[in-house]
């Protein structure tokens, strides 16, 4: 039986069929990979570039980045502190979910974009203290509306920077390339 | 040619020179065997509840356990002091060289035995090679009924099925304390933080701290003459010292 299938496969029509199947599989895999790198659907099309253009610092809305592991996503109360003084907030369709959230007291369910797997323990504070700027990992936010990842957050990418920043300091290199620094 | 005697001498030398970074002292004379450390460890490290059935198969999961032994023949049996047993964080660990995936590696920075969960493929070779029998294996994705997921420690990975795990000396607390100390521009103070088991111990039988700091409480205690290290003759260079009959 297997011999008959093999014989059918090596004739020109069979080879074309195999080629098409492989191509379909490859494009499916490529699409899957592409789909994982797309920014998720957010409840509000939050325009980062507009807020930065007004001169608001990253740390004003994400103050956790300088203090602890998580940068944090601001609560609707923080948004409202500025937005209730802006007349456009009352009429804008874009801001309707914010108005609704503040009135009903329900939280806005933002979808985290820059995430690492559960087995990675990331600490923002250490990175900010080491002199890394937000845009080194999160990209230039003056150019995007909703946040998106400028690169894939994988271990090679992390380790590349860790090794580079250790330079010739052997002790620092040991600490920064130790498995236990991020995985526990 | 290297003889057995030479090897023994070098082994003794090694253990005399060996000073780990983090160490623990457990006083068996004041341990009451209350299991508070076992519970605290399970809470701190997201250790799943295995349940009756799997426990019956010998799949119970604990990073620390209280061992009880008896001396003598019935009816003249005498219980020896309770013995909390946890990963000894060996300086020369038998579990490490056998891992085919390099999932259990020695941390050069913290001088601890690490278990890298995302590398582990679950061969269980390390557990079979551990003379202290302190490694536990996730045989299943054990259920956590509501509201137990709310109690999970976010600083510790929630392990999946098919992964080996063991005591980490609460490395998340070590790194947290280091991070805090660094943010405040100082060194970690002795006794500033401790492991979950030591924190929970009502009798203060467990002391944890820096072994390489001669001023720290744990290194002072470890120097006492009746301190014993378990299975030291295997050359594992354990970092946990036990007191019994002091």
């Amino acid at each position: 039986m297997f011999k008959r299938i093999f014989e059918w496969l090596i004739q020109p029509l069979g080879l074309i069929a195999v080629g098409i199947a492989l191509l379909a599989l490859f494009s499916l895999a490529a699409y899957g990979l592409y789909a994982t790198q797309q920014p998720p659907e957010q409840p509000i099309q939050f325009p980062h570039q507009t807020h930065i253009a007004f001169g608001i610092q990253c740390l004003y809305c994400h103050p956790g980045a300088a203090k602890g592991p998580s940068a944090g996503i601001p609560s609707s109360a923080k948004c409202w502190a500025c937005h209730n003084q802006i007349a456009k907030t009352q009429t804008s369709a874009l801001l309707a979910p914010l108005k609704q959230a503040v009135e009903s007291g329900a939280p806005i369910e933002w979808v985290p974009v820059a995430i690492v797997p559960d087995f990675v323990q990331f600490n923002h504070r250490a990175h900010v203290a080491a002199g890394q700027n937000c845009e080194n990992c999160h990209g230039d936010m003056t150019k995007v509306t909703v946040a998106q990842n400028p690169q894939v957050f994988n271990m090679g990418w992390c380790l590349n920077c860790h090794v580079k920043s250790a330079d010739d300091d052997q002790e620092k290199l040991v600490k920064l390339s130790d498995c236990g620094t991020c995985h526990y | 040619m290297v003889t057995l005697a030479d090897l023994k001498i070098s082994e003794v030398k090694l253990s005399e020179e060996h000073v780990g970074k983090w160490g623990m002292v457990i006083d068996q004379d004041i341990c009451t065997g209350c299991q508070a450390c076992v519970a605290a460890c399970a809470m701190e490290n997201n250790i799943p509840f295995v349940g009756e059935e799997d426990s019956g198969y010998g799949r119970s999961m604990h990073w620390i356990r209280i061992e009880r032994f008896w001396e003598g023949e019935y009816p003249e049996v005498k219980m020896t002091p309770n013995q909390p047993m946890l990963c000894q964080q060996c300086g020369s660990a038998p579990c490490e060289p056998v891992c085919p995936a390099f999932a259990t590696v020695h941390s050069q920075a913290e001088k601890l035995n690490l278990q890298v969960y995302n590398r582990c493929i679950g061969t269980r070779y390390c557990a079979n090679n551990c003379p202290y029998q302190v490694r536990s294996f996730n045989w299943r994705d054990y259920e956590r009924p509501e509201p137990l997921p709310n109690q999970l420690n976010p600083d510790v990975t929630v392990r999946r099925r098919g992964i080996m795990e063991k005591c980490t000396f609460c490395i998340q607390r070590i790194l947290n304390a280091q991070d805090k100390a660094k943010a405040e521009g100082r060194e970690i103070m002795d006794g500033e933080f401790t492991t979950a088991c030591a924190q929970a111990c009502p009798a203060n039988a467990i002391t944890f701290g820096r072994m390489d700091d001669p001023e720290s409480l744990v290194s002072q205690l470890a120097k006492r003459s009746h301190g014993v290290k378990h299975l030291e003759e295997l050359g594992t260079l354990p970092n946990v010292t036990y007191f019994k009959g002091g």
Side-chain angles (χ1 to χ4, degrees):
Chain A
M1 214 261 283
F2 286 112
K3 207 176 164 212
R4 266 194 19 226
I5 295 172
F6 181 72
E7 270 167 8
W8 185 83
L9 282 177
I10 55 167
Q11 55 142 336
L13 194 70
L15 284 176
I16 289 168
V18 168
I20 288 172
L22 280 178
L23 206 71
L25 237 114
F26 176 77
S27 37
L28 207 73
Y31 174 74
L33 210 66
Y34 163 84
T36 60
Q37 301 311 317
Q38 293 313 298
E41 195 65 36
Q42 299 285 1
I44 300 174
Q45 286 294 306
F46 180 86
H48 270 96
Q49 82 273 56
T50 315
H51 288 77
I52 294 166
F54 281 127
I56 303 167
Q57 298 289 315
C58 305
L59 284 176
Y60 180 78
C61 296
H62 307 286
K67 294 178 195 156
S70 168
I73 291 171
S75 65
S76 49
K78 193 161 216 166
C79 306
W80 202 244
C82 296
H83 270 281
N84 74 345
Q85 301 165 42
I86 302 168
K88 210 175 151 191
T89 309
Q90 301 295 334
T91 52
S92 161
L94 183 70
L95 284 161
L98 173 66
K99 195 166 163 250
Q100 205 184 348
V102 170
E103 277 163 6
S104 69
I108 303 171
E109 286 176 17
W110 299 104
V111 186
V113 176
I115 47 170
V116 287
D118 187 35
F119 50 78
V120 180
Q121 310 291 337
F122 180 81
N123 190 342
H124 269 97
R125 193 210 68 82
H127 291 82
V128 173
Q132 293 292 330
N133 282 328
C134 306
E135 64 264 29
N136 293 1
C137 302
H138 296 290
D140 192 354
M141 284 291 172
T142 58
K143 297 209 174 73
V144 296
T145 48
V146 289
Q148 44 184 278
N149 283 335
Q151 68 268 311
V152 185
F153 289 125
N154 62 20
M155 194 171 115
W157 178 77
C158 292
L159 214 48
N160 209 358
C161 188
H162 273 204
V163 171
K164 233 183 257 166
S165 64
D167 213 18
D168 287 335
D169 190 340
Q170 201 55 40
E171 201 186 331
K172 209 172 160 190
L173 182 67
V174 165
K175 179 74 189 158
L176 287 179
S177 58
D178 195 88
C179 302
T181 304
C182 310
H183 301 294
Y184 45 86
Chain B
M1 207 182 100
V2 183
T3 63
L4 197 64
D6 289 338
L7 277 177
K8 283 220 170 106
I9 289 164
S10 68
E11 222 168 66
V12 170
K13 261 192 188 160
L14 202 63
S15 69
E16 268 173 8
E17 283 164 12
H18 171 75
V19 179
K21 189 170 178 185
W22 301 100
M24 191 178 270
V25 168
I26 298 177
D27 194 335
Q28 286 179 250
D29 296 329
I30 53 176
C31 171
T32 62
C34 71
Q35 311 262 356
C37 51
V38 178
C41 176
M43 299 299 104
E44 171 76 15
N45 293 303
N46 302 338
I47 300 171
F49 305 93
V50 169
E52 233 172 88
E53 200 193 336
D54 272 17
S55 272
Y57 289 120
R59 296 172 181 175
S60 55
M61 295 183 72
H62 297 292
W63 287 8
I64 181 170
R65 61 173 191 265
I66 310 286
E67 289 183 338
R68 300 187 299 167
F69 297 106
W70 283 268
E71 275 171 356
E73 286 288 318
Y74 182 82
E76 276 91 41
V77 283
K78 206 179 116 212
M79 210 181 108
T80 60
N82 297 300
Q83 181 174 290
M85 182 50 75
L86 69 161
C87 175
Q88 309 285 305
Q89 305 291 348
C90 307
S92 169
C95 54
E96 285 168 5
V98 298
C99 181
F102 301 100
T104 177
V105 286
H106 208 74
S107 164
Q108 296 305 315
E110 300 306 328
K111 305 273 187 281
L112 296 174
N113 301 108
L114 301 173
Q115 180 69 26
V116 184
Y117 305 123
N118 45 320
R119 267 191 195 169
C120 180
I121 55 171
T123 64
R124 292 173 283 141
Y125 200 163
C126 53
N128 289 326
N129 224 33
C130 174
Y132 306 98
Q133 297 286 307
V134 289
R135 289 173 160 266
S136 47
F137 186 68
N138 283 277
W139 286 93
R140 298 173 198 281
D141 281 322
Y142 294 104
E143 197 192 343
R144 275 191 188 84
E146 285 291 335
L148 285 175
N150 295 329
Q151 164 280 315
L152 290 172
N153 185 353
D155 294 339
V156 179
T157 308
V158 179
R159 279 85 53 189
R160 290 177 54 196
R161 180 183 66 173
I163 283 171
M164 189 58 73
E165 56 184 64
K166 63 155 196 90
C167 164
T168 59
F169 262 9
C170 284
I171 190 169
Q172 70 278 10
R173 292 187 176 209
I174 294 176
L175 295 180
N176 266 350
Q178 276 175 351
D179 187 59
K180 194 168 168 240
K182 216 171 170 190
E184 291 166 13
R186 58 177 172 82
E187 289 288 310
I188 296 184
M189 290 175 290
D190 187 35
E192 181 185 336
F193 76 102
T194 188
T195 58
C197 52
Q199 190 185 6
C201 184
N204 272 338
I206 306 175
T207 315
F208 174 81
R210 283 293 282 264
M211 269 322 221
D212 54 355
D213 172 12
E215 299 294 308
S216 75
L217 180 62
V218 69
S219 67
Q220 298 269 341
L221 283 172
K223 278 190 207 114
R224 284 161 72 176
S225 58
H226 65 302
V228 172
K229 287 185 174 173
H230 280 295
L231 303 178
E232 203 178 13
E233 64 275 17
L234 299 176
T236 54
L237 312 179
N239 274 320
V240 182
T241 309
Y242 287 83
F243 292 157
K244 192 160 85 173

